[in-house]
Amino acid sequence: MSDAIIEIRNLCKSYRSDKGEVSALKEVSLSIAQHDIYGIIGLSGAGKSTLVRCMNLLEKPSSGQVIVNGNDLMTLSDRDLNLQRRRIGMIFQHFNLLMQRNVLDNVAFPLEIAGLRKKEARKKAYEYLQTVGLEEKAKAYPSQLSGGQKQRVAIARVLASSPEILLCDEATSALDPQTTKSILRLLKDINERYGITIVVITHEMAVVQEICSHVAVLDHGKLVESAATEELFRAPKTAEAKRLVFSGSEHILDMTSDRVVRIQFHGGSAYEPILGNIVLETKTPINILYADTQTVNGAAEGEMLIQLPEDEEKARRIVAYFEEKGLNPREVKDHVKSAGNPDDH
Amino acid sequence: MLSQQEILMIIEGLRDTLIIVGFSTFFGYLLGLPLGIVLAVTDKEGIRPSPAVYKVLDLVTNVLRSFPFIILLVVLIPVTRAIVGKSYGTAATIVPLVVAAAPFIGRLVESSLKEVDKGVIEAAQSLGASKATIIFKVLLPEARTSLLVGVTIAFGTILGYSAMAGAVGGGGLGSIAIRYGYNRFQPQILWPSVILLILLVQLFQVLGMHLSKKLDRR
């Protein structure tokens, strides 16, 4: 892992409201490695938007440190902060394009900020439009574009300031699943091509799965868990993370069973008839409570919840067999409850 | 029917009105536009909040706006004399009109700028735009249609005020309408002047709206 490009230390943010102080972030610390795609996930109101907006000081933290590229942002003058911000791009849920400028001039805007002449700025802007595949819309106005196209323009605009970091604040939340996929692909491409570190804020687990290499789970303003994405999917530790990972599996709550084991497939094991073999070998029917396959970071990740037989010996043999096949079996009696019931932990 | 002399007088009145209102609107914006920008920027939701500056300007604006124009005209006589050399005549009416129009225009500009989407301003901030860049490349251009509508409103209001210019010997259609229509009861002069005033306001309204629509890319 390379050096941290973003370092958040003991970040707190509270707002004054009619009902008194509301604390949006509580002692959040995290560090994001260079070239990483880092996801911050949480339910709405968890404080993730506030957190990402602290990373370029659109939101002023109440206390703590935000260190980007080795600079403590809170100690910078307005001028220096603006210079730093040019290296920290941001895209938004509602795109935030200049509505009275055409697409080309929107992309040229950061170049004008950097002091380029209009003609030169436009020429360069056109190249960035080509990067996102929208050069034929150069003369159109944002109101004439679809959501996905608007986000592409926003991405081209952010690229034009040659940032080292790209903050995405719910950048795909206003888009349909198809468009979301194509935007995520573009982001991944940008990450690989330009080496830009990307921070993704989202409430959708699918977004994290698709592109993030690391993920942090935020809950009620606290960072409750952070790990490599595969790791979090394989073995979420906290109830909040489990709830996000198993968000589709509330229905298994109804199933009552003494012993349930969770197994995981990845890579090749998904092609072996493991369950078939185990039934043949132990001569015991097994009950599948839940199964799902997801693509995490380009690799297939499968998981299943298997109800074990009453017979101790047979149960032991099944677990041993899973272990032998590298399926990482874990008894998950407690997760069944905590996955669906937030108050049960 | 009107005599040729009367027609000539009305045409001269129209010219005077256009001069008075044109100059007043121009100088009104010269003062009112910066005022509106400062109000919008220093407001607590603005890009550089400054409660002290905002409160002072807010108060001054409100005080000036509460003056009935006809009173302002009288109160400002020494100022007018200092600026244009005399306290009566067409040029002399421009001074109080500007003083009355500037705070009004300031408010129009302030409200136009506050309509600009906060998200767009944040996007500019996140790109490292300075406050001046945000004012001149984001706030003003993004608010341009609303600003243009403001100009037509300001023009109409100043035109209304200008009718009182006759009180200090200023020219223009309004003053003709009062002098001939009210003081001498000559409706054949009153009505053409009034109708011309109405047409003038209508014309500018239509032109302004058309231009603002044409320039709107949303």
Side-chain angles (χ1 to χ4, degrees):
Chain A
M1 198 196 276
S2 42
D3 286 334
I5 189 165
I6 300 176
E7 182 98 41
I8 304 275
R9 289 185 197 149
N10 307 323
L11 196 72
C12 294
K13 171 75 187 178
S14 47
Y15 298 97
R16 230 175 279 281
S17 82
D18 305 337
K19 293 168 205 139
E21 289 256 306
V22 178
S23 138
L25 293 175
K26 299 164 194 157
E27 296 282 327
V28 173
S29 296
L30 58 85
S31 85
I32 298 174
Q34 207 157 8
H35 308 316
D36 208 351
I37 301 184
Y38 196 97
I40 296 172
I41 190 162
L43 303 173
S44 54
K48 48 194 193 305
S49 234
T50 309
L51 177 57
V52 80
R53 288 160 57 82
C54 283
M55 291 181 188
N56 61 1
L57 291 204
L58 275 186
E59 204 94 55
K60 297 261 184 302
S62 308
S63 66
Q65 282 181 301
V66 181
I67 298 160
V68 178
N69 268 323
N71 296 291
D72 185 343
L73 294 190
M74 304 239 269
T75 64
L76 297 179
S77 66
D78 271 12
R79 226 187 102 85
D80 290 338
L81 176 62
N82 278 339
L83 289 175
Q84 276 303 318
R85 277 175 170 170
R86 289 177 202 173
R87 305 161 70 182
I88 314 170
M90 190 172 204
I91 56 174
F92 305 83
Q93 179 173 8
H94 298 297
F95 326 118
N96 297 349
L97 297 174
L98 294 153
M99 300 305 279
Q100 306 289 4
R101 279 185 175 225
N102 68 26
V103 164
L104 187 66
D105 287 342
N106 260 284
V107 181
F109 182 53
L111 298 165
E112 288 170 31
I113 294 174
L116 257 67
R117 287 178 189 286
K118 204 140 196 167
K119 206 179 145 193
E120 228 178 309
R122 281 194 175 136
K123 208 177 124 209
K124 275 194 128 178
Y126 191 78
E127 290 167 21
Y128 287 107
L129 267 185
Q130 285 174 318
T131 309
V132 300
L134 270 182
E135 63 272 22
E136 79 275 18
K137 295 281 183 193
K139 293 273 176 262
Y141 283 86
S143 60
Q144 299 165 312
L145 304 181
S146 70
Q149 288 172 328
K150 282 183 200 165
Q151 199 60 289
R152 277 171 189 273
V153 175
I155 290 171
R157 178 172 71 177
V158 111
L159 288 179
S161 64
S162 312
E164 287 151 42
I165 298 167
L166 175 56
L167 309 174
C168 308
D169 187 4
E170 297 277 8
T172 58
S173 299
L175 306 174
D176 61 70
Q178 207 64 38
T179 315
T180 295
K181 274 230 153 98
S182 80
I183 293 293
L184 293 179
R185 220 175 297 132
L186 179 62
L187 290 177
K188 192 152 196 172
D189 188 45
I190 285 165
N191 168 258
E192 281 160 11
R193 184 142 37 130
Y194 302 99
I196 297 175
T197 310
I198 298 182
V199 181
V200 176
I201 294 295
T202 183
H203 62 274
E204 296 168 294
M205 208 63 200
V207 170
V208 170
Q209 263 168 259
E210 190 82 21
I211 62 169
C212 296
S213 43
H214 284 84
V215 59
V217 179
L218 212 59
D219 185 70
H220 292 98
K222 277 195 208 137
L223 193 129
V224 291
E225 187 167 349
S226 71
T229 307
E230 291 91 342
E231 185 60 31
L232 187 97
F233 271 84
R234 195 166 301 143
K237 293 187 192 77
T238 57
E240 290 78 13
K242 284 173 187 167
R243 205 183 315 148
L244 287 162
V245 172
F246 301 117
S247 59
S249 55
E250 279 91 352
H251 55 278
I252 59 174
L253 260 181
D254 304 334
M255 313 242 185
T256 48
S257 162
D258 282 292
R259 297 188 67 191
V260 175
V261 84
R262 176 166 177 258
I263 56 171
Q264 279 152 327
F265 309 88
H266 28 102
S269 57
Y271 302 103
E272 236 179 285
I274 287 171
L275 291 180
N277 290 345
I278 213 168
V279 171
L280 291 175
E281 205 164 297
T282 58
K283 310 250 183 320
T284 314
I286 57 172
N287 191 14
I288 301 169
L289 295 179
Y290 172 78
D292 191 19
T293 312
Q294 298 172 316
T295 310
V296 179
N297 239 330
E301 288 282 338
E303 59 162 326
M304 270 189 192
L305 295 181
I306 306 285
Q307 192 174 23
L308 294 177
E310 297 283 310
D311 188 301
E312 280 286 327
E313 174 56 22
K314 281 179 178 167
R316 199 196 52 76
R317 274 177 64 192
I318 289 173
V319 172
Y321 188 82
F322 285 148
E323 216 133 70
E324 184 190 317
K325 291 290 174 189
L327 301 186
N328 194 22
R330 295 228 175 123
E331 289 236 25
V332 286
K333 216 155 82 188
D334 66 312
H335 114 260
V336 176
K337 282 181 205 147
S338 49
N341 188 349
D343 303 319
D344 204 64
H345 59 264
Chain B
M1 270 314 286
L2 294 174
S3 69
Q4 205 179 352
Q5 212 181 354
E6 285 166 332
I7 291 177
L8 217 70
M9 180 182 72
I10 290 178
I11 290 176
E12 242 169 65
L14 180 65
R15 185 202 63 194
D16 284 349
T17 292
L18 283 174
I19 289 174
I20 291 172
V21 178
F23 275 98
S24 301
T25 309
F26 176 76
F27 287 112
Y29 266 91
L30 219 55
L31 295 175
L33 188 64
L35 172 67
I37 292 173
V38 175
L39 281 170
V41 165
T42 56
D43 182 51
K44 61 179 188 297
E45 301 275 299
I47 56 171
R48 200 193 177 294
S50 170
V53 174
Y54 187 83
K55 258 181 210 144
V56 170
L57 288 179
D58 189 53
L59 184 72
V60 172
T61 307
N62 281 345
V63 168
L64 281 177
R65 285 199 60 201
S66 357
F67 262 92
F69 181 65
I70 195 86
I71 312 285
L72 197 66
L73 209 59
V74 176
V75 172
L76 284 175
I77 284 177
V79 181
T80 309
R81 194 177 285 138
I83 294 174
V84 295
K86 53 182 189 174
S87 60
Y88 55 89
T90 300
T93 57
I94 294 176
V95 175
L97 269 175
V98 170
V99 174
F104 175 65
I105 290 170
R107 284 290 185 219
L108 285 174
V109 170
E110 180 192 3
S111 82
S112 290
L113 297 186
K114 282 181 175 171
E115 282 169 28
V116 174
D117 183 7
K118 295 270 173 299
V120 177
I121 298 167
E122 286 192 340
Q125 286 172 327
S126 78
L127 288 166
S130 66
K131 299 197 163 61
T133 305
I134 292 176
I135 291 168
F136 293 108
K137 294 205 165 198
V138 179
L139 287 179
L140 291 173
E142 289 294 300
R144 69 181 173 203
T145 59
S146 169
L147 286 169
L148 261 171
V149 172
V151 174
T152 69
I153 294 173
F155 187 88
T157 307
I158 293 170
L159 195 71
Y161 284 169
S162 76
M164 285 179 254
V168 290
L173 289 174
S175 131
I176 289 172
I178 291 172
R179 261 186 294 150
Y180 293 82
Y182 178 72
N183 297 342
R184 300 189 196 169
F185 202 69
Q186 288 178 294
Q188 76 274 19
I189 294 181
L190 170 74
W191 286 114
S193 320
V194 171
I195 288 167
L196 268 179
L197 276 175
I198 293 171
L199 285 178
L200 210 56
V201 173
Q202 285 302 313
L203 181 73
F204 270 84
Q205 195 98 1
V206 169
L207 267 178
M209 292 301 175
H210 178 73
L211 197 64
S212 100
K213 264 220 186 85
K214 211 180 148 187
L215 286 176
D216 195 1
R217 310 297 187 191
R218 279 173 296 179

